[in-house]
Amino acid sequence: MYDKTDFSQEHINYIKSHKSFKRAVSFTRIIIFITIFFVWEIAANLQWIDPFIMSQPSRMLKTVITLSKDGSLFLHTGVTLYETIVGFVLGTVLGTIIAIILWWSNFLAKVLDPYLVVLNALPKTALGPVILVWIGGTTKSIIVMALLVSIIVTIISVYSGFSNCDEDKIKLLKTFGANKRQILKLVVLPSNIPAIISALKINVGLSLVGVIVGEFLVSKEGLGFLIIYGGQVFKMDMVMMSVIILAIAAALLYLSVLWIEKKVTKMM
Amino acid sequence: MEKIVEMQNVSMNYHSLGGETQAIKSLSFDILDGEFVSIVGPSGCGKSTLLSLISGILKPSKGRILIKNEEVKGPSKNIGYMLQKDHLFEWRTIIKNVIIGLEIQGTLNKETYKSAEKLLKEYGLYEFKNYYPKQLSGGMRQRAALIRTLTANPDLLLLDEPFSALDYQTRLAISEEIWLIIKKEKKTAILVTHDISEAISMSDRVIVLTKRPAEIKSVYDIVLTCENKTPITCREAPEFRYYFNSIWKELDVHV
Ligand SMILES: Nc1ncnc2c1ncn2[C@@H]1O[C@H](COP(=O)(O)OP(=O)(O)O)[C@@H](O)[C@H]1O
Ligand SMILES: [Mg+2]
């Protein structure tokens, strides 16, 4: 790929300036992070802000420690993670299966089109109370919430990927006498792996929305429960801590999907 | 020589809500076994439609098409199709791309796999069999696409402007190469092209079509005096210019 391996001074300088730029970026990021928490801590100590309402890093840390000791922190985080993962995997898999069915039957696709449009526009969380009544206040209805939030977008985006599959590639397979199932297996599905993974990426975030709203409603366990419970009993330390743990969990989930994407695109 | 393709009064109309497009109008011609025939005509006149009809992926509105005396009812193993782009699947290695026809036709076994490998070996792609298409040059990719077509062992090859996505230099080289392969494998070929020189240099016969709906305007039997006939040497033949000028005039290109 490259012409030379013994670099010229010009090239070495280029690499150097690139590296120092990257270092400056990382350094600034860390400084901003530390500053926020530091100023927050000081401001609360000096009573510039009311720590009872705004909470405070050291208090949040204390809450982490207390909740870790009786293991409840891990329970709640674990529950939220579990529900989210089940939700977005189910949403992506079921959504893709339904997209396949729609691709298969143009008639069905045309018939269902307006329903999908309306369902897509509807904020699915509005159905929360309905699901709660129908399924009951259990983990099941939280997962259904997460599923509901992500499945419609998945169907729509994956189906549109399927129908935009290169006509000439399909023609090529047809010249070998391929049937519909073979066209699906050999070109439509594999050429849409990127579309499915990008649906997976979007679904991580959507599924989390469904899970948190579900936990608000069911109010039994999970980070959503900690947040709503903390809010009700005015334990802002618990609320803030849960939000931060949620942010970390969300980022970790997203990063794992990115990792999967990298693995898959490498394989392709 | 035996007739391999017989077109009998074939017409083809496309229908859409906007109306009806007559692409081909009562077209008749025969292609003989072992012949290399080029079809030239203005763009949009129905050349690709013609090939799709012969390959059986489209059904004619009127008329009959016979391949080896049997009416075309759908895609057949007798026919190989090569499109403008190579359409190699980026997620499959070269060998996996090459055997895709066998996979579809359910004829993939040790023997046919070996013969696919043999073709790759013969045409200089064996070392690249586990590479992905994006690691190959444009010319190599087009060669791989031809091998994919040949692996299913068709008697008749349909080539739809297969070189037009390549730059001029590669195009000359690869058309020479592919012509040699087709002759070596003793295949019959129908080449659609808009490059008049390419048509004359590669073919035994050139069919010129009118603008849409396609009808036959004229047919040229190409007789060139040159030794060691290959597309590149043909271009040096004294008669080349004569054919070029007449076909150019027939096509009546207005700019
Ligand atoms: N699927 C289709 N539906 C409707 N019209 C079509 C379709 N495919 C081709 N046509 C029309 O038929 C004519 C011939 O097309 P084509 O065979 O692709 O021409 P060429 O290959 O000679 O450029 C064109 O006018 C084109 O617009
Ligand atoms: Mg065409």
Side-chain angles (χ1 to χ4, degrees):
Chain A
M1 213 155 136
Y2 300 110
D3 300 343
K4 291 204 247 169
T5 43
D6 50 336
F7 298 125
S8 65
Q9 191 56 43
E10 188 185 349
H11 189 71
I12 291 169
N13 288 343
Y14 165 78
I15 299 276
K16 251 191 201 156
S17 75
H18 181 72
K19 274 192 184 150
S20 71
F21 176 76
K22 268 180 83 173
R23 228 179 289 129
V25 169
S26 316
F27 182 72
T28 314
R29 284 176 183 159
I30 294 169
I31 291 291
I32 291 176
F33 184 81
I34 293 174
T35 311
I36 289 176
F37 281 85
F38 188 73
V39 170
W40 189 354
E41 181 69 30
I42 300 287
N45 277 344
L46 297 179
Q47 297 292 326
W48 293 347
I49 55 173
D50 184 352
F52 187 64
I53 293 172
M54 300 296 281
S55 184
Q56 185 180 9
S58 57
R59 287 160 155 250
M60 281 153 57
L61 200 63
K62 249 180 244 154
T63 319
V64 169
I65 291 165
T66 356
L67 288 183
S68 299
K69 269 187 190 144
D70 62 4
S72 62
L73 184 64
F74 305 112
L75 171 81
H76 292 296
T77 312
V79 164
T80 299
L81 277 177
Y82 163 76
E83 289 162 345
T84 308
I85 291 171
V86 174
F88 82 75
V89 170
L90 269 184
T92 312
V93 171
L94 290 180
T96 304
I97 290 172
I98 294 172
I100 289 174
I101 294 169
L102 295 186
W103 175 82
W104 198 279
S105 161
N106 187 37
F107 178 75
L108 204 60
K110 275 274 172 295
V111 169
L112 293 185
D113 183 59
Y115 294 97
L116 284 174
V117 170
V118 172
L119 281 177
N120 189 38
L122 177 81
K124 264 66 66 182
T125 45
L127 295 175
V130 180
I131 292 164
L132 211 64
V133 171
W134 285 356
I135 301 178
T138 59
T139 311
K140 231 193 256 163
S141 49
I142 294 174
I143 289 173
V144 170
M145 281 289 294
L147 177 67
L148 216 56
V149 174
S150 56
I151 195 166
I152 308 288
V153 195
T154 308
I155 296 172
I156 291 176
S157 65
V158 174
Y159 173 69
S160 113
F162 283 179
S163 24
N164 288 331
C165 184
D166 189 343
E167 280 301 323
D168 275 344
K169 286 206 161 62
I170 295 177
K171 181 174 172 180
L172 175 86
L173 295 187
K174 278 187 183 162
T175 65
F176 288 116
N179 57 31
K180 204 154 187 175
R181 195 183 54 77
Q182 289 172 320
I183 290 172
L184 177 74
K185 194 184 111 195
L186 293 174
V187 66
V188 173
L189 271 180
S191 69
N192 277 291
I193 297 284
I196 293 169
I197 291 190
S198 103
L200 200 63
K201 264 188 332 203
I202 296 169
N203 288 347
V204 175
L206 290 179
S207 172
L208 260 176
V209 172
V211 165
I212 295 301
V213 172
E215 285 174 353
F216 281 178
L217 292 171
V218 172
S219 270
K220 271 189 190 143
E221 14 170 61
L223 292 172
F225 160 70
L226 282 188
I227 291 170
I228 203 109
Y229 170 75
Q232 278 160 0
V233 300
F234 242 81
K235 284 193 181 167
M236 289 314 282
D237 301 335
M238 187 189 263
V239 175
M240 290 297 199
M241 174 210 72
S242 305
V243 170
I244 284 172
I245 290 176
L246 189 58
I248 295 169
L252 287 180
L253 279 174
Y254 190 75
L255 287 177
S256 2
V257 176
L258 280 190
W259 180 80
I260 292 172
E261 179 179 34
K262 223 173 172 182
K263 284 272 149 189
V264 172
T265 39
K266 213 184 226 167
M267 246 163 47
M268 282 176 60
Chain B
M1 258 191 282
E2 258 179 80
K3 290 176 188 169
I4 185 160
V5 183
E6 293 170 69
M7 301 277 291
Q8 302 175 340
N9 273 313
V10 174
S11 299
M12 178 68 201
N13 306 322
Y14 286 110
H15 298 274
S16 66
L17 293 180
E20 190 169 354
T21 311
Q22 199 176 19
I24 289 175
K25 196 169 143 191
S26 47
L27 204 60
S28 298
F29 61 79
D30 298 334
I31 307 276
L32 303 178
D33 197 11
E35 243 189 332
F36 197 117
V37 176
S38 286
I39 296 178
V40 294
S43 80
C45 79
K47 303 181 295 294
S48 299
T49 306
L50 181 60
L51 293 192
S52 298
L53 287 170
I54 296 174
S55 76
I57 57 178
L58 283 181
K59 283 195 175 47
S61 308
K62 269 204 217 105
R64 294 205 310 165
I65 300 170
L66 306 184
I67 305 275
K68 289 185 163 175
N69 293 318
E70 268 183 57
E71 185 161 357
V72 174
K73 289 261 162 54
S76 126
K77 290 181 195 178
N78 265 330
I79 299 176
Y81 207 132
M82 236 176 118
L83 300 154
Q84 189 177 91
K85 289 198 257 161
D86 54 64
H87 291 299
L88 294 171
F89 294 171
E90 300 297 340
W91 55 89
R92 289 181 155 234
T93 56
I94 293 302
I95 182 74
K96 292 277 275 174
N97 264 292
V98 160
I99 60 170
I100 202 164
L102 301 172
E103 248 177 68
I104 291 169
Q105 292 166 355
T107 51
L108 182 60
N109 54 42
K110 259 207 189 109
E111 223 170 282
T112 53
Y113 188 88
K114 279 251 169 65
S115 71
E117 283 191 323
K118 199 171 138 234
L119 281 170
L120 285 176
K121 223 171 260 170
E122 219 161 313
Y123 301 118
L125 285 177
Y126 188 73
E127 304 95 89
F128 301 98
K129 73 173 198 161
N130 292 322
Y131 282 46
Y132 284 89
K134 61 169 172 260
Q135 297 170 289
L136 266 57
S137 70
M140 284 160 95
R141 291 177 61 125
Q142 206 60 18
R143 220 185 312 155
L146 179 68
I147 294 172
R148 174 181 59 197
T149 312
L150 292 175
T151 302
N153 202 18
D155 299 316
L156 172 65
L157 294 177
L158 307 176
L159 313 168
D160 194 351
E161 308 193 18
F163 314 123
S164 56
L166 304 172
D167 63 79
Y168 188 70
Q169 297 289 330
T170 316
R171 185 173 176 152
L172 277 187
I174 202 80
S175 61
E176 171 98 352
E177 232 176 79
I178 283 184
W179 186 87
L180 289 170
I181 296 174
I182 289 173
K183 287 294 164 192
K184 182 153 181 263
E185 303 287 331
K186 297 192 173 57
K187 306 291 182 192
T188 310
I190 305 179
L191 168 74
V192 161
T193 175
H194 54 248
D195 182 334
I196 302 174
S197 310
E198 192 173 277
I200 300 169
S201 64
M202 293 179 84
S203 324
D204 303 311
R205 202 145 53 100
V206 176
I207 298 177
V208 183
L209 298 180
T210 62
K211 61 182 198 301
R212 192 175 64 79
E215 290 178 275
I216 292 184
K217 190 157 195 187
S218 50
V219 179
Y220 289 85
D221 284 306
I222 307 290
V223 185
L224 298 170
T225 39
C226 60
E227 284 172 53
N228 277 332
K229 192 178 179 311
T230 75
I232 286 178
T233 60
C234 277
R235 288 172 188 251
E236 304 298 327
E239 302 89 347
F240 192 87
R241 277 177 58 85
Y242 154 74
Y243 287 119
F244 188 94
N245 288 331
S246 346
I247 295 174
W248 170 263
K249 277 187 200 122
E250 295 267 13
L251 280 175
D252 197 24
V253 185
H254 299 290
V255 196

